[in-house]
Amino acid sequence: MRFQDKIVFITGGAKGIGKAMAEAFLAEGASVAVNSRSTEAINKFEEEFKGKNVLAFTADITNYEDMENVAGKIWNAWGKVDVLINNAGIVNPLTPSEKTKKEDFDRAIDVNLKGTFYVSQVFGKRMVEQKSGRIINMITQAAIYGEKGFLPYVMSKAGLMVMTRNLASEWSRHGVTVVAIAPGFIAGGMNEGLIRKQAFVDFLSKKTPIGRMAKVEEITGLVLFLASPEAQYINGETIVIDGGMTGYTAEPLLDFIMAGKGK
Ligand SMILES: NC(=O)c1ccc[n+]([C@@H]2O[C@H](COP(=O)([O-])OP(=O)(O)OC[C@H]3O[C@@H](n4cnc5c(N)ncnc54)[C@H](O)[C@@H]3O)[C@@H](O)[C@H]2O)c1
């Protein structure tokens, strides 16, 4: 039980990868709180985890007061938060950048960038006061090199990468460290719909040297490691977990030349 007596808060943790993280932390002895915009999702989560050490709140991360309220209730109930996981996020509708709608751009920035900062500040200031805490931000591999059609998403997530460094440099002296993870394609969460179609699984798998999408437990495994004392010295960094996709081109120049295509 690696997280006995530890308190973990996961934004957007009622479904997808966030819910898988909640299960993984509970299995390791932690008490886990989550929030979701949807009361229905929260009721479902409470029903599924009845009898376990969980708290669940309907709250939107873009609403500062909502998040103050949530933090106040967790500290009242459990007296501290050891780990904050900024997991909640949205992806914009896939569109070429010249056609991106203003409202889709604004929404991605509001949720992924502004909302995540609000939560970081609301929880971070309390962690600074308690003189301990670990913040883990969910970014994306695409925030490093970009991804056609996802500009609002990757811009908002790229902002979180520098937020990770900045907050680490500001808060570490107060005992609060900050890291981020940048996954490639995960076989779960927001890709649930896509992975029902084999053509998408094949396409996304071909984009990674390792030849497949990430398993959800590979992502939760890294998050648990980063939350553990063994990873304490990793700070301010964004850890890429993408099967080798970063910097990989589907057909490297070497293969092109070796296949005699350059003649
Ligand atoms: N699935 C992937 O392949 C992948 C890859 C890289 C990064 N990520 C990141 O991982 C995180 C989790 O993604 P997922 O795949 O589980 O997606 P998901 O859509 O299944 O889950 C996202 C969660 O965030 C919540 N959320 C969104 N906006 C919110 C708001 N304003 N307030 C509160 N909650 C809100 C949603 O309700 C949902 O519970 C996201 O930040 C995503 O960008 C996912």
Side-chain angles (χ1 to χ4, degrees):
M1 291 283 198
R2 280 191 286 168
F3 292 96
Q4 195 76 53
D5 303 324
K6 297 291 181 197
I7 310 294
V8 181
F9 175 56
I10 307 167
T11 63
K15 65 169 205 162
I17 315 297
K19 185 177 160 217
M21 290 179 201
E23 282 168 336
F25 276 108
L26 283 167
E28 291 284 354
S31 300
V32 176
V34 301
N35 77 305
S36 169
R37 286 165 303 178
S38 141
T39 305
E40 198 190 327
I42 287 300
N43 291 341
K44 227 173 128 197
F45 182 90
E46 282 177 327
E47 187 58 38
E48 189 176 338
F49 293 95
K50 210 183 237 167
K52 300 251 161 75
N53 285 332
V54 297
L55 288 174
F57 305 94
T58 305
D60 191 314
I61 63 163
T62 64
N63 185 322
Y64 201 97
E65 286 69 40
D66 267 13
M67 297 317 299
E68 281 277 14
N69 224 337
V70 167
K73 284 182 180 159
I74 301 173
W75 258 271
N76 272 344
W78 290 333
K80 62 169 184 169
V81 170
D82 298 293
V83 182
L84 159 65
I85 301 172
N86 279 317
N87 165 76
I90 56 162
V91 72
N92 61 280
L94 186 63
T95 350
S97 296
E98 69 275 18
K99 292 189 178 151
T100 300
K101 291 189 182 139
K102 181 181 177 298
E103 57 266 33
D104 291 334
F105 181 80
D106 290 348
R107 186 75 193 137
I109 300 294
D110 283 348
V111 174
N112 296 344
L113 189 60
K114 289 165 74 175
T116 303
F117 171 68
Y118 295 164
V119 179
S120 302
Q121 189 180 62
V122 163
F123 282 73
K125 66 189 176 193
R126 289 170 168 84
M127 287 173 158
V128 163
E129 225 165 83
Q130 78 187 9
K131 297 199 183 338
S132 68
R134 179 66 146 172
I135 300 176
I136 302 173
N137 299 317
M138 283 294 276
I139 302 185
T140 169
Q141 180 270 349
I144 299 169
Y145 286 111
E147 179 76 39
K148 277 186 187 172
F150 287 111
L151 190 65
Y153 180 61
V154 299
M155 277 180 74
S156 58
K157 292 286 189 176
L160 295 182
M161 218 163 7
V162 78
M163 183 188 86
T164 301
R165 268 211 189 283
N166 229 92
L167 294 182
S169 71
E170 289 182 58
W171 291 347
S172 296
R173 75 185 65 170
H174 305 294
V176 182
T177 57
V178 191
V179 284
I181 79 163
F185 299 110
I186 308 168
M190 55 175 63
N191 293 328
E192 288 280 352
L194 280 190
I195 59 176
R196 282 192 215 111
K197 296 179 188 144
Q198 194 55 41
F200 279 108
V201 176
D202 293 346
F203 173 75
L204 298 176
S205 301
K206 236 171 94 178
K207 276 173 72 99
T208 71
I210 218 167
R212 62 171 176 81
M213 299 172 81
K215 296 174 192 161
V216 172
E217 58 270 27
E218 288 170 325
I219 304 302
T220 58
L222 176 61
V223 169
L224 261 69
F225 167 68
L226 289 173
S228 72
E230 290 77 13
Q232 212 171 31
Y233 206 67
I234 304 172
N235 192 20
E237 204 56 61
T238 295
I239 310 296
V240 175
I241 173 165
D242 69 352
M245 189 166 52
T246 302
Y248 173 71
T249 40
E251 189 179 16
L253 184 60
L254 178 67
D255 295 1
F256 180 78
I257 290 169
M258 298 290 273
K261 290 184 188 170
K263 287 183 187 140

